[in-house]
Amino acid sequence: RLMATPAVAMERCHEVTMNMGFTSVRATRNAMHELKNHDVKRAESIREDERTADRYEDELGTYLVKLSHKDISEADSHSLSIMLHCIGDFERISDHARNIKEAAQEMHDKQLVFSEKAQEELKVFERAVHDVLDLTMTSFKNGDLNLARQVEPLEEVIDGLSLDVKQRHVRRLRKG
């Protein structure tokens, strides 16, 4: 029924895309908590959020492609393109959450723990990830291009931080 009124359909798609983003962010935050403390219910929640994000990508992506064939304004066409791009990014974020959860599960199963120094570094890394996720969701929600432009440089900082943390972690492991 929404296809008959593309402008209303676009608004609803934006809301659903927001829900998808929040689902992916929640999965990531929960996965980061799993690294510190395993919880069976939280782990299942991460799995379910990842499956939900996959479903969103499939169904919302299909719907957006169908909607793109309707008579929509140039602004809506631009928004539709952004949403198609974002749903792929949000799905990938949920995949990362699943991967973190699986690593946390392996640590739990093998009764492995991070050293105190590794835990401190993980806190810094976690704060940076939370900041970039918050910035991403705020920029998408508000359609704020200036905020959106800040995401990639922060992502690059996180990539560099990740490399540094991994290198220091390997050095600590070599030292026992």
Side-chain angles (χ1 to χ4, degrees), residues 9 74 143 163 165:
E74 189 173 321
L163 184 60
V165 167

Side-chain angles (χ1 to χ4, degrees), residues 14-28 53 56 60 86-87 89-91 93-94 133 136-137 140:
H14 189 269
E15 292 170 13
V16 172
T17 303
M18 284 293 302
N19 289 341
M20 180 186 187
F22 287 128
T23 297
S24 297
V25 168
R26 180 178 59 233
T28 302
Y56 271 126
L60 183 57
C86 286
I87 63 173
D89 290 343
F90 292 151
E91 193 279 330
I93 290 169
S94 72
L133 289 173
T136 298
M137 291 308 300
F140 180 77

Side-chain angles (χ1 to χ4, degrees), residues 2-130:
L2 287 176
M3 284 286 184
T5 52
V8 175
M10 284 294 298
E11 181 59 35
R12 182 66 185 133
C13 286
H14 189 269
E15 292 170 13
V16 172
T17 303
M18 284 293 302
N19 289 341
M20 180 186 187
F22 287 128
T23 297
S24 297
V25 168
R26 180 178 59 233
T28 302
R29 290 181 190 279
N30 282 335
M32 300 288 281
H33 286 298
E34 279 294 294
L35 288 170
K36 295 176 240 163
N37 183 24
H38 177 63
D39 179 89
V40 174
K41 287 182 182 179
R42 184 173 47 226
E44 181 53 39
S45 171
I46 296 163
R47 274 190 288 279
E48 185 55 37
D49 281 344
E50 195 273 332
R51 284 187 214 117
T52 299
D54 286 347
R55 238 180 0 264
Y56 271 126
E57 183 185 36
D58 290 342
E59 295 176 20
L60 183 57
T62 299
Y63 189 84
L64 285 168
V65 169
K66 288 179 184 177
L67 187 57
S68 72
H69 298 296
K70 297 290 183 180
D71 187 27
I72 59 176
S73 70
E74 189 173 321
D76 281 347
S77 179
H78 179 71
S79 293
L80 190 143
S81 295
I82 290 171
M83 280 188 273
L84 280 170
H85 182 79
C86 286
I87 63 173
D89 290 343
F90 292 151
E91 193 279 330
R92 203 163 33 259
I93 290 169
S94 72
D95 286 345
H96 289 307
R98 182 195 62 223
N99 293 341
I100 294 167
K101 188 234 6 125
E102 289 170 358
Q105 182 68 51
E106 182 178 351
M107 288 180 66
H108 173 74
D109 292 347
K110 293 179 179 179
Q111 298 181 347
L112 301 173
V113 294
F114 286 119
S115 68
E116 194 173 307
K117 184 65 177 167
Q119 288 177 33
E120 289 173 18
E121 289 181 344
L122 189 59
K123 284 179 188 177
V124 171
F125 189 78
E126 184 178 7
R127 278 193 300 270
V129 170
H130 289 320

